[in-house]
Amino acid sequence: MIIFGKILIMKRLGTIMLVLSMVGVLSAQNDNVLRQKSDSLYAKGVELYKSRKYKNAIPFFEQSYSIDTTLYGINTPYRDYSCKWAANCYYKIGDIDQAKKLYENYFIEPIDRSLTVDIDSLIMQADSYKAENNIVKAIECLRKSLDLIKLRLGENVKYANNLTNLGLLYYAAGNVNDAINSFEEALKINSNLLGNNHKECSILVNNLGLVYYYTGKYQNALKYFKRRYEIAVELYGDDNIETMKLLNDIALVMSDIGEMDNSLAIYKKLEKLCENKMSKETIPLYKMVLNNIGAIYQDLECCDKAIEYLEKSLPISKELYGEKSEDYATVLDNIGNIYFIMGSFEKSLEYHNNAIDIFKNNSIADSVSYARYLSNTGTVYEKIKQYDKAFDYYKRALEIRIKKLGYHPDVAASLINMGNVDTVNGIQYYLKAKDILEQTSGKNSKSYLTCITNIAQEERIRHNYKEAITILESILDIILNNYGEKDSQYISTLKELGYCKIFSNEFDEGANYYQKAMSLSKSKLISNFSFMTAVERSNYWKICNKIYSDVLIVNNYMPNNNIQSQFSYDAELVT
């Protein structure tokens, strides 16, 4: 009986499996019938199209389109082809509105999908490999598809779109030059086929700008961001929210290359645009602009103005995100940074600790932002010479960053900070940071160049002046070519070179470096007194006096007061 029971159960299972199998077969057969029907409708539509019977062809393409959507979903090449043919038919009969609804490039001659079956298969394989994070295989599939498209169809929009996707894969793989080449080739093709101000061109211009920006080539990034903004103005107008965001990006890059006056002028323009068009869309941008204006004033050491703008953004942040939010904590942290610059270290710690308190008792106490607040607090303790406390905060920030980010530039930043307060092992931290930054940010990035400068300073402290000079000279032109002569890092590198040259008895050359650094420092200041506030004038005098004091200190090491006699000062510097 037990045996029969087992047989009975097996028979029942077998019956269920048979039914399921039959359902699968019927489903597959039904799909094949639908697929054949779609292909037949599509072929008839192409036949009518080639006979210039565009209106008659439309129902066939639309029925094919409907079946393909049912079979494959909305993201399928089959559906796309039917849709594009129908759009072009509407265009041919003069119904532009309906054509636009189906496909934005409705005026482009459609492609026969019978010519691209293997091409589309390769593209879908590339998508699968990308989803599996197998970037090498994804690139291989896309390159094969591009070869076939070019051979059969020429350099058309499909070819350009796949070049764009290839560029994104190259960038993900760290092949920056290949990514740039792919984007530029796609841009050239799309500009010729679609026009310079087309949306597809805007996307490519944006991609090029971002690649250059994130690899530290800010001048190149600025060129593409400006072009992207011009396209947006042409397409949407200058008071459109997306256009305004692009203007914000331009101002950001300008501040990165030291064009503070130009950056500030753009931000002020954006401030007025936002105030004149206040809405749910513009309020977050308005808050960001206020923060960025505060950052510019911070760089110009107009600290009271910086605090004014950040405090203006604080209630907006509270209203938008709440006073327990990361955004609110970040504004507090930024205000703490400004009090640090002003030398109000107790006030600075108060704001940094308030930012930390928001995070430390909740579930995101190990977030990347929390690590930044810890790091900034460590900087204050470093300044007031409480090095053990500073090291502790830097170490806690490092642990979070390693956990959250892995091999990342922010991890290198923590290592650099720890090197700054560990006088015994400092250079070892810098060297570890250098290896990370070289592989993640590249040798043109600011963070990498800062790390190299720190290594040079360590060599100078150890009286290894020749080694320090060699290191500094190797990066001077890189900083100049990528960030411009008004960049603070370029100026500080000139000063450091001047020090090292003077201490290695190369007095004239050292004096020249130092003079140039001092001249550039002063030229960065806002010097039009008629437009200065009292606070700005006070800050101006303060920095001018600091420049003069630096000169006097270095002058003590010079024979015959070389710098003071060679460097021309305005009367205001010695007042």
Side-chain angles (χ1 to χ4, degrees), residues 484-509:
E485 65 173 11
K486 289 191 176 183
D487 179 72
S488 57
Q489 192 165 16
Y490 180 70
I491 294 169
S492 64
T493 304
L494 285 171
K495 283 178 68 175
E496 189 66 27
L497 260 172
Y499 284 137
C500 292
K501 291 282 186 179
I502 289 166
F503 289 131
S504 58
N505 298 324
E506 298 177 49
F507 297 113
D508 289 341
E509 198 169 349

Side-chain angles (χ1 to χ4, degrees), residues 4-14:
F4 286 126
K6 284 185 179 179
I7 292 170
L8 181 63
I9 290 168
M10 287 175 70
K11 283 184 177 179
R12 284 174 181 167
L13 288 171

Side-chain angles (χ1 to χ4, degrees), residues 317-331:
S317 177
K318 182 178 177 180
E319 184 182 341
L320 285 173
Y321 311 111
E323 61 182 344
K324 295 294 183 184
S325 66
E326 180 178 334
D327 189 88
Y328 190 79
T330 298
V331 179

Side-chain angles (χ1 to χ4, degrees), residues 161-382:
N161 288 344
N162 280 286
L163 268 176
T164 303
N165 292 333
L166 182 63
L168 293 170
L169 289 173
Y170 277 135
Y171 184 71
N175 299 334
V176 174
N177 289 334
D178 286 335
I180 289 170
N181 290 337
S182 296
F183 291 146
E184 286 182 339
E185 188 180 352
L187 179 60
K188 183 179 177 182
I189 293 167
N190 277 339
S191 294
N192 289 335
L193 294 174
L194 306 174
N196 290 327
N197 290 346
H198 192 275
K199 183 180 173 183
E200 296 289 342
C201 295
S202 177
I203 291 168
L204 284 160
V205 168
N206 178 61
N207 288 347
L208 283 162
L210 289 172
V211 170
Y212 280 122
Y213 182 80
Y214 287 120
T215 52
K217 296 180 179 177
Y218 293 147
Q219 295 285 0
N220 289 341
L222 185 59
K223 178 181 77 172
Y224 283 103
F225 284 160
K226 283 181 176 178
R227 183 173 169 189
R228 182 183 62 165
Y229 174 71
E230 288 165 4
I231 294 172
V233 171
E234 181 73 24
L235 292 174
Y236 313 115
D238 66 353
D239 62 348
N240 175 272
I241 182 65
E242 295 305 320
T243 308
M244 289 159 69
K245 287 177 183 177
L246 300 181
L247 194 57
N248 181 74
D249 292 347
I250 291 171
L252 178 66
V253 181
M254 283 183 166
S255 68
D256 285 334
I257 61 175
E259 293 185 19
M260 297 302 181
D261 289 348
N262 290 334
S263 180
L264 187 58
I266 292 173
Y267 281 134
K268 289 291 185 77
K269 177 182 177 181
L270 269 173
E271 183 185 9
K272 284 187 172 143
L273 281 170
C274 288
E275 287 172 348
N276 292 336
K277 197 176 181 181
M278 200 63 76
S279 67
K280 285 184 179 179
E281 279 188 319
T282 56
I283 286 174
L285 177 62
Y286 181 56
K287 188 200 75 68
M288 185 191 302
V289 168
L290 293 174
N291 286 339
N292 290 340
I293 292 173
I296 293 288
Y297 278 124
Q298 177 181 329
D299 286 341
L300 293 171
E301 300 199 23
C302 297
C303 295
D304 290 340
K305 290 289 286 183
I307 289 172
E308 176 192 326
Y309 271 89
L310 287 178
E311 287 185 339
K312 195 175 176 182
S313 80
L314 204 54
I316 301 173
S317 177
K318 182 178 177 180
E319 184 182 341
L320 285 173
Y321 311 111
E323 61 182 344
K324 295 294 183 184
S325 66
E326 180 178 334
D327 189 88
Y328 190 79
T330 298
V331 179
L332 291 172
D333 188 64
N334 289 337
I335 294 172
N337 290 337
I338 297 167
Y339 277 117
F340 172 82
I341 293 169
M342 295 171 73
S344 302
F345 302 123
E346 190 175 331
K347 198 78 174 170
S348 177
L349 282 173
E350 178 189 331
Y351 274 91
H352 288 317
N353 285 326
N354 285 342
I356 288 171
D357 286 344
I358 289 172
F359 273 69
K360 70 180 182 182
N361 294 321
N362 61 32
S363 59
I364 48 176
D366 63 346
S367 72
V368 173
S369 293
Y370 185 62
R372 185 172 67 252
Y373 309 150
L374 291 169
S375 184
N376 288 338
T377 307
T379 303
V380 182
Y381 282 118
E382 179 183 346

Side-chain angles (χ1 to χ4, degrees), residues 11 50 95 108 150 314 346 431 469 546 548 558:
K11 283 184 177 179
K50 289 181 177 178
D95 192 345
I108 296 290
K150 191 171 185 178
L314 204 54
E346 190 175 331
L431 290 170
I469 288 168
K546 174 69 168 60
Y548 183 64
M558 298 286 292

